[in-house]
Amino acid sequence: MKTKIPTTLIYEVKDGKPIYYKDYEKVVKGEKSIEEVMGSSFIQSLIISVIVEYLFEKIDKTKYTVLFNEVGFSFGKSKRCLDIAIYLNKDLKASSLKNIYLKIPPKVVIEVDTKADLKRYSASFDFYVREKTQDLLDAGVEKVLWFSSYDRKVLIAEKSKDWVIKPWNKDIDILDSISINLEILLKNKKEVID
């Protein structure tokens, strides 16, 4: 008899098919709690925190809103979770404060690693990253930046442009002349990571 997987273990949905959290099987077997698989790693949390802090300092808040913490974005038959999403304020005004996934594409998405289980979904992290990035661009996102703690690289993807991979110690343009150098931001957190 096949065990039913609880919907709380669904991380994202791609074309109507679930993508589960990494290690979801351990929750089904009772070896881990749901919270253990849903939570972010220390490095993922730290990277997201330093990027968000930096954006809050630099971004024009009269023009943009920075949302983070797995923002839900729904398009077509897909639902994706976004680590950081930068929205135009004028686009968000169309949405009232409701407990729903947004259907409006953000201008910029910043991802850090992933919590997705890739065993059933795909053979590789790279394939998942490419597919999710292309889905987001096709749904109207203008730019996707994907920071990988595994190799300290950043994928920079924009619609109708060649995708570029750079080391995260280089300046990476986000928008409106705001650029980020993750290595410098992390060094500024030296007291946290030493």
Side-chain angles (χ1 to χ4, degrees), residues 7 17 23-24 49 67 100 108-109 117 190:
T7 57
K17 295 179 182 162
D23 289 338
Y24 74 95
S49 293
L67 300 177
I100 58 169
V108 177
V109 169
D117 178 77
K190 194 169 175 20

Short mmCIF file of all heavy atoms in Angstrom, two decimals, residues 7 17 23-24 49 67 100 108-109 117 190:
data_model
loop_
_atom_site.label_atom_id
_atom_site.label_comp_id
_atom_site.label_asym_id
_atom_site.label_seq_id
_atom_site.Cartn_x
_atom_site.Cartn_y
_atom_site.Cartn_z
N THR A 7 0.03 17.15 1.99
CA THR A 7 0.22 18.34 1.13
C THR A 7 1.16 19.35 1.77
O THR A 7 1.76 20.17 1.06
CB THR A 7 -1.13 19.01 0.79
OG1 THR A 7 -1.78 19.36 2.00
CG2 THR A 7 -2.00 18.10 -0.04
N LYS A 17 2.21 19.43 -11.09
CA LYS A 17 2.87 18.30 -10.41
C LYS A 17 3.66 18.79 -9.20
O LYS A 17 4.40 19.77 -9.30
CB LYS A 17 3.81 17.58 -11.38
CG LYS A 17 3.06 16.93 -12.52
CD LYS A 17 3.99 16.25 -13.48
CE LYS A 17 3.17 15.66 -14.61
NZ LYS A 17 3.95 15.34 -15.77
N ASP A 23 14.11 15.64 1.70
CA ASP A 23 13.96 14.73 2.85
C ASP A 23 12.51 14.53 3.29
O ASP A 23 12.25 14.11 4.41
CB ASP A 23 14.81 15.19 4.04
CG ASP A 23 16.29 15.00 3.81
OD1 ASP A 23 16.67 14.17 2.96
OD2 ASP A 23 17.08 15.68 4.48
N TYR A 24 11.55 14.79 2.39
CA TYR A 24 10.14 14.60 2.75
C TYR A 24 9.87 13.14 3.15
O TYR A 24 9.02 12.87 3.99
CB TYR A 24 9.21 15.02 1.61
CG TYR A 24 9.19 14.04 0.46
CD1 TYR A 24 8.21 13.05 0.39
CD2 TYR A 24 10.16 14.07 -0.53
CE1 TYR A 24 8.21 12.13 -0.65
CE2 TYR A 24 10.16 13.16 -1.56
CZ TYR A 24 9.19 12.19 -1.62
OH TYR A 24 9.19 11.27 -2.64
N SER A 49 19.58 36.96 4.55
CA SER A 49 19.54 38.09 5.48
C SER A 49 20.44 39.23 5.03
O SER A 49 20.02 40.39 5.04
CB SER A 49 19.98 37.64 6.88
OG SER A 49 19.04 36.77 7.43
N LEU A 67 10.13 41.75 -0.87
CA LEU A 67 9.46 40.69 -0.12
C LEU A 67 10.41 39.50 -0.03
O LEU A 67 11.20 39.25 -0.95
CB LEU A 67 8.16 40.27 -0.82
CG LEU A 67 7.11 41.36 -1.01
CD1 LEU A 67 5.92 40.81 -1.78
CD2 LEU A 67 6.68 41.93 0.32
N ILE A 100 -2.77 34.92 0.14
CA ILE A 100 -2.75 34.22 -1.14
C ILE A 100 -1.37 34.28 -1.76
O ILE A 100 -0.55 35.10 -1.37
CB ILE A 100 -3.78 34.83 -2.14
CG1 ILE A 100 -3.47 36.32 -2.36
CG2 ILE A 100 -5.20 34.64 -1.66
CD1 ILE A 100 -4.22 36.97 -3.49
N VAL A 108 12.37 41.46 -10.05
CA VAL A 108 13.60 40.69 -9.83
C VAL A 108 13.33 39.61 -8.79
O VAL A 108 12.64 39.86 -7.81
CB VAL A 108 14.75 41.60 -9.33
CG1 VAL A 108 16.02 40.80 -9.04
CG2 VAL A 108 15.04 42.72 -10.32
N VAL A 109 13.88 38.43 -9.03
CA VAL A 109 13.85 37.33 -8.05
C VAL A 109 15.28 36.97 -7.71
O VAL A 109 16.14 36.85 -8.59
CB VAL A 109 13.11 36.09 -8.62
CG1 VAL A 109 13.33 34.87 -7.72
CG2 VAL A 109 11.63 36.37 -8.79
N ASP A 117 13.18 18.74 -3.08
CA ASP A 117 13.66 17.38 -3.23
C ASP A 117 13.87 17.14 -4.72
O ASP A 117 12.94 17.29 -5.51
CB ASP A 117 12.64 16.38 -2.68
CG ASP A 117 13.11 14.96 -2.89
OD1 ASP A 117 13.99 14.51 -2.13
OD2 ASP A 117 12.62 14.31 -3.84
N LYS A 190 31.54 39.15 9.74
CA LYS A 190 32.63 38.34 10.27
C LYS A 190 32.37 37.86 11.70
O LYS A 190 32.66 36.72 12.05
CB LYS A 190 33.93 39.15 10.20
CG LYS A 190 35.19 38.36 10.40
CD LYS A 190 36.36 39.27 10.03
CE LYS A 190 37.73 38.71 10.27
NZ LYS A 190 37.98 37.37 10.39
#
